[in-house]
Amino acid sequence: MHIRKGDEVVVLSGVYRGKRGRVLRVLPDRQRAIVEGVNMVKRHSRGNPRLGIQPGIVEQEAPIHVSNLLPVDPETHKPTRVGYKFLTGAGGRKRKIRIARRSGVELDR
């Protein structure tokens, strides 16, 4: 997948179009990601006195499909497509990294 946990992304379509947020969690089997402050839904919480959980309505993020997300280029701060490059490390091992197509900067930390 072109999105990873911790990436800053821009939403391309839907109610939250244009909104930016950080990826909190990635669900690769469902091809979805949970983005901070995007796709907010209300859940009814039962509460548990032993665990100190209060009952009520809780607002939280719901998963959004990764096709509606693009990572932000760290250099230009605009949405960018993702490319891949292989780097040769110590011992001749190859490592696949993600790069921003817009500027060519590495997206992996």
Side-chain angles (χ1 to χ4, degrees):
M1 286 183 33
H2 66 281
I3 301 291
R4 290 196 183 153
K5 181 180 175 179
D7 285 350
E8 186 179 350
V9 294
V10 175
V11 179
L12 298 178
S13 65
V15 177
Y16 291 91
R17 181 180 181 189
K19 185 141 187 186
R20 291 174 184 241
R22 199 152 293 283
V23 176
L24 301 174
R25 191 168 164 213
V26 178
L27 308 168
D29 54 327
R30 295 171 49 198
Q31 293 200 349
R32 293 181 177 269
I34 297 176
V35 181
E36 188 175 31
V38 174
N39 201 18
M40 300 299 286
V41 294
K42 292 183 192 242
R43 297 271 183 233
H44 292 265
S45 171
R46 173 177 267 172
N48 189 336
R50 283 190 292 167
L51 298 177
I53 299 172
Q54 293 291 321
I57 300 173
V58 180
E59 198 166 3
Q60 65 185 37
E61 294 92 354
I64 185 170
H65 200 271
V66 293
S67 66
N68 296 323
L69 302 173
L70 269 185
V72 174
D73 190 334
E75 198 170 271
T76 62
H77 302 289
K78 292 183 179 179
T80 181
R81 290 176 298 139
V82 176
Y84 296 94
K85 185 165 68 172
F86 289 95
L87 294 180
T88 307
R93 296 185 62 195
K94 286 192 174 182
R95 196 169 65 110
K96 185 177 179 181
I97 62 164
R98 298 176 306 146
I99 60 168
R101 285 284 188 196
R102 188 179 284 272
S103 65
V105 176
E106 291 183 18
L107 293 175
D108 294 333
R109 295 160 285 290

